[in-house]
C-alpha cells in the first residue's frame, strides 16, 4: 500500500483526503488491456466508480471506452477527451434532456431499460432527425452471489427489461424506425468474487442471443457489464484483480459468433488504487466499554460501510507503537451508522495519528456528500509525492 511507504510524509496534507496510487492504476490498466487484447474484447470504464479528472486522463491513455449512467457522467467523459463512439449510457431513468444530449453526441449506444424508454428514444431520435444506436439492457435473472444491496440482474430488480417482455414485444421493438438495435447489454451486479457466476451469465447470454437472432434482431455487440470483485480483506495480496480468469471463463463459455464482446469495469480498475487517509481526533470509551477511535473522516467521504455494511481494511500508518488494541473506528457525522469498522486491531492509536482506509478508490469519492456541510475531500496522487 502506497500509504505505508509514505507514512509520516502524509502528515503534510490536510485530512481527510484520498490518496491515489497512479502507478498501481497504470499497472492495473496494463493488465486489463493486455488480457482483453488476447480475445479482442472491448473494455469500458464505468465512470460512476470514480470521475476524478487525473484518473480519467490516465484511463484515457490506455484506450478504454466509457460506461456512463447520467448526462453529467457523459459530459464529464467527453470533456475528459473520450471518444463518444466508445461510450455507452445505461440507467433505468434517463431524463429527456439527458437522452437528447446523448443523441446529439452520437454515442456508441444508449442502453435502454424499458419498452417505454425505447419508444421515447425513438421519438426523440425522430425529433433530432437521426437514427440512433441503442442496446437492449436485458435482465437475465441471475444471482450474482454478492451483497444484496449491489446485485442488479435478478428478476425483481429495477434494472433492465425482462427477457420475456422483449420476446413478447419483439415486433413492436423492431418497428421503432428511428432506432438501430445494435447491442445486447446486461450487468448482473458488483463485487462478484465467485467467478462461476459469470459462467452462468454466459450460458444465459448464449440463449438470449440465439433467440434475438431468430427473431431478426441484428445484434452486433454483446456487453456483459462489469462486476469483477476486488480483495477488500487483504488488498496487499491482490492489488490487481484477476482479469485473466474472468476473460478466460467468458472465452470458454460465451458463444455469440463473431460479435464484439464488451465489458464495463469500475471497481476492478480503480478500487485498489485509492485509500482514504484520515487523522485520529479523539479516543474515548463508552459506558459499556466500547473503545472508540474518532477520526476526521466519516460516511460523507466514504459511505460504503454505513450504506452496505461493506468492509474496508484499516491500518494506522504513523503510530510507532508495537502493541495493538481493538477499536471501533467512527467518523464525525451526526449518524449512529457512521462507523468504519468495529473491533479493528490497530497499533495503539493517539490523537494526530494517520489511518488508511484501504481499497477506497471505487465508489468512495464518487459517492461523497456534503452532509453536515462537510467539505468534500481532496486528492493526493502518488506520482506527485517524492518518496
Ligand atoms: N455497468 C453498469 C451498468 C453498472 O451499473 C455498473 C455499476 C458497472 C458497469 C460497474 O460495475 P463494477 O465493475 O464497478 O462492479 N456503489 C456500490 C456499487 C454500485 C455499482 C453500480 N453499478 C458499491 O460501493 O459497492
Amino acid at each position: 500500500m502506497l500509504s505505508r511507504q509514505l507514512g509520516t510524509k502524509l502528515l503534510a496534507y490536510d485530512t481527510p483526503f484520498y490518496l491515489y496510487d497512479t502507478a498501481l492504476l497504470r499497472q492495473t490498466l496494463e493488465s486489463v488491456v493486455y488480457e482483453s487484447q488476447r480475445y479482442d474484447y472491448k473494455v469500458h470504464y464505468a465512470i460512476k466508480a470514480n470521475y476524478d479528472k487525473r484518473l480519467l486522463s490516465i484511463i484515457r491513455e490506455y484506450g478504454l471506452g466509457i460506461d456512463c449512467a447520467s448526462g453529467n457522467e457523459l459530459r464529464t467523459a467527453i470533456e475528459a477527451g473520450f471518444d463518444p463512439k466508445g461510450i455507452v449510457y445505461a440507467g433505468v431513468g434517463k431524463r429527456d434532456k439527458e437522452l437528447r444530449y446523448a443523441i446529439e453526441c452520437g454515442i456508441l449506444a444508449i442502453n435502454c431499460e424499458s419498452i417505454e424508454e425505447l419508444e421515447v428514444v425513438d421519438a426523440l431520435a425522430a425529433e433530432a432527425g437521426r437514427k440512433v444506436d441503442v442496446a437492449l439492457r436485458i435482465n437475465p435473472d441471475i444471482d450474482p452471489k454478492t451483497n444484496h444491496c449491489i446485485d442488479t440482474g435478478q428478476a425483481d430488480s429495477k434494472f433492465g427489461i425482462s427477457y420475456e417482455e422483449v420476446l413478447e414485444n419483439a415486433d413492436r421493438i423492431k418497428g421503432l424506425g428511428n432506432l438501430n438495435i445494435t447491442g445486447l447489454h446486461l450487468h448482473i451486479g458488483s463485487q462478484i468474487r465467485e467467478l462461476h457466476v459469470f459462467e452462468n451469465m454466459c450460458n444465459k447470454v448464449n440463449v438470449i442471443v440465439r433467440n434475438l437472432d431468430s427473431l431478426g434482431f441484428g445484434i452486433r455487440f454483446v456487453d456483459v457489464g462489469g462486476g469483477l470483485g476486488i480483495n477488500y480483506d487483504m488488498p496487499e495480496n491482490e492489488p490487481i484483480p484477476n482479469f485473466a480468469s474472468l476473460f478466460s471463463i467468458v472465452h470458454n463459455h460465451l458463444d455469440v459468433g463473431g460479435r464484439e464482446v464488451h465489458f464495463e469495469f469500475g471497481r476492478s480498475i480503480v478500487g485498489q488504487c485509492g485509500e482514504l487517509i484520515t487523522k485520529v481526533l479523539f479516543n474515548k470509551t463508552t459506558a459499556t466499554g466500547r473503545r472508540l477511535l474518532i477520526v476526521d473522516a466519516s460516511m460523507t467521504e466514504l459511505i460504503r460501510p454505513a450504506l452496505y455494511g461493506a468492509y474496508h481494511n484499516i491500518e494506522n500508518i504513523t503510530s510507532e507503537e508495537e502493541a495493538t488494541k481493538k477499536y471501533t473506528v467512527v467518523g464525525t457525522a451526526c449518524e449512529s451508522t457512521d462507523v468504519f469498522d468495529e473491533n479493528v486491531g490497530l497499533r495503539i492509536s493517539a490523537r494526530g495519528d494517520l489511518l488508511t482506509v484501504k481499497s477506497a478508490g471505487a465508489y468512495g469519492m464518487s459517492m461523497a456528500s456534503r452532509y453536515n456541510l462537510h467539505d468534500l475531500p481532496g486528492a493526493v496522487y502518488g506520482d506527485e509525492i517524492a518518496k
Side-chain angles (χ1 to χ4, degrees):
M1 284 289 131
L2 181 62
S3 63
R4 260 195 212 160
Q5 296 164 35
L6 295 169
T8 52
K9 273 197 180 146
L10 293 173
L11 286 165
Y13 299 89
D14 200 22
T15 51
F17 62 90
Y18 277 97
L19 174 68
Y20 293 118
D21 186 340
T22 41
L24 178 59
L25 175 60
R26 286 181 184 282
Q27 286 164 21
T28 307
L29 289 162
E30 271 156 30
S31 168
V32 74
V33 168
Y34 176 79
E35 299 297 343
S36 61
Q37 279 174 350
R38 298 173 55 174
Y39 309 104
D40 208 15
Y41 291 157
K42 308 270 177 277
V43 176
H44 301 256
Y45 167 60
I47 192 172
K48 72 198 74 163
N50 194 319
Y51 46 79
D52 179 277
K53 285 204 167 59
R54 279 223 46 208
L55 302 190
L56 286 181
S57 78
I58 295 173
I59 292 167
R60 191 175 59 91
E61 283 177 40
Y62 290 78
L64 273 64
I66 287 285
D67 156 56
C68 65
S70 72
N72 286 345
E73 285 190 358
L74 173 56
R75 183 168 292 105
T76 300
I78 288 176
E79 283 170 5
F82 287 88
D83 179 359
K85 275 284 152 232
I87 301 181
V88 290
Y89 176 11
V92 282
K94 307 179 190 77
R95 299 167 187 85
D96 288 10
K97 67 174 179 186
E98 296 178 301
L99 287 170
R100 284 199 179 94
Y101 177 57
I103 291 171
E104 187 190 307
C105 293
I107 63 174
L108 174 61
I110 299 177
N111 296 347
C112 291
E113 306 212 12
S114 63
I115 306 283
E116 195 167 11
E117 183 186 349
L118 284 162
E119 288 172 343
V120 168
V121 175
D122 182 61
L124 294 175
E127 186 187 291
R130 298 198 183 192
K131 232 175 159 190
V132 172
D133 291 342
V134 304
L136 299 175
R137 178 169 181 179
I138 293 188
N139 180 317
D141 191 18
I142 289 174
D143 178 359
K145 310 254 185 269
T146 183
N147 184 328
H148 181 56
C149 303
I150 52 176
D151 68 27
T152 48
Q154 291 190 269
D156 66 341
S157 151
K158 72 171 178 175
F159 297 100
I161 317 176
S162 92
Y163 177 41
E164 288 70 24
E165 204 183 357
V166 171
L167 298 183
E168 281 160 20
N169 291 279
D171 288 337
R172 190 168 149 205
I173 298 171
K174 282 189 299 173
L176 298 169
N178 305 294
L179 305 183
N180 296 317
I181 314 271
T182 53
L184 166 68
H185 174 231
L186 59 147
H187 169 73
I188 57 175
S190 202
Q191 185 51 17
I192 298 169
R193 295 283 285 168
E194 295 187 34
L195 293 190
H196 62 88
V197 164
F198 290 107
E199 195 177 315
N200 301 343
M201 176 193 77
C202 291
N203 295 334
K204 274 254 163 100
V205 172
N206 296 343
V207 175
I208 296 175
V209 169
R210 267 202 298 278
N211 281 331
L212 292 181
D213 264 354
S214 64
L215 288 167
F217 284 96
I219 299 293
R220 190 175 61 70
F221 72 91
V222 175
D223 179 342
V224 295
L228 180 63
I230 62 171
N231 189 338
Y232 281 99
D233 296 329
M234 282 183 279
E236 292 81 2
N237 291 359
E238 206 183 325
I240 299 177
N242 198 343
F243 297 107
S245 292
L246 171 59
F247 291 147
S248 131
I249 289 174
V250 172
H251 176 70
N252 290 330
H253 297 276
L254 195 69
D255 180 14
V256 294
R259 292 180 175 84
E260 278 180 12
V261 178
H262 295 222
F263 293 81
E264 307 166 342
F265 297 124
R267 188 189 317 267
S268 50
I269 305 279
V270 290
Q272 298 293 31
C273 310
E275 301 171 68
L276 176 62
I277 308 295
T278 180
K279 196 173 270 176
V280 174
L281 291 174
F282 306 112
N283 265 281
K284 80 172 173 190
T285 306
T286 65
T288 56
R290 211 152 64 114
R291 189 181 294 118
L292 302 181
L293 198 60
I294 301 161
V295 298
D296 68 356
S298 71
M299 63 196 287
T300 64
E301 286 78 26
L302 181 65
I303 200 174
R304 304 192 69 260
L307 193 59
Y308 318 116
Y311 173 77
H312 286 259
N313 191 290
I314 302 177
E315 192 176 316
N316 186 323
I317 50 170
T318 56
S319 172
E320 286 174 2
E321 302 278 349
E322 291 287 313
T324 62
K325 273 188 184 167
K326 295 263 183 187
Y327 297 94
T328 292
V329 181
V330 302
T332 55
C334 296
E335 294 290 332
S336 297
T337 56
D338 184 25
V339 176
F340 283 107
D341 201 5
E342 311 259 355
N343 278 317
V344 197
L346 295 175
R347 283 187 287 157
I348 291 175
S349 300
R351 177 170 169 79
D353 285 353
L354 291 185
L355 305 190
T356 171
V357 184
K358 301 175 202 171
S359 315
Y363 309 111
M365 182 61 205
S366 64
M367 295 180 81
S369 81
R370 294 217 50 207
Y371 179 54
N372 289 159
L373 281 181
H374 286 178
D375 291 325
L376 289 173
V380 174
Y381 306 89
D383 54 7
E384 289 177 343
I385 308 174
K387 291 207 186 125

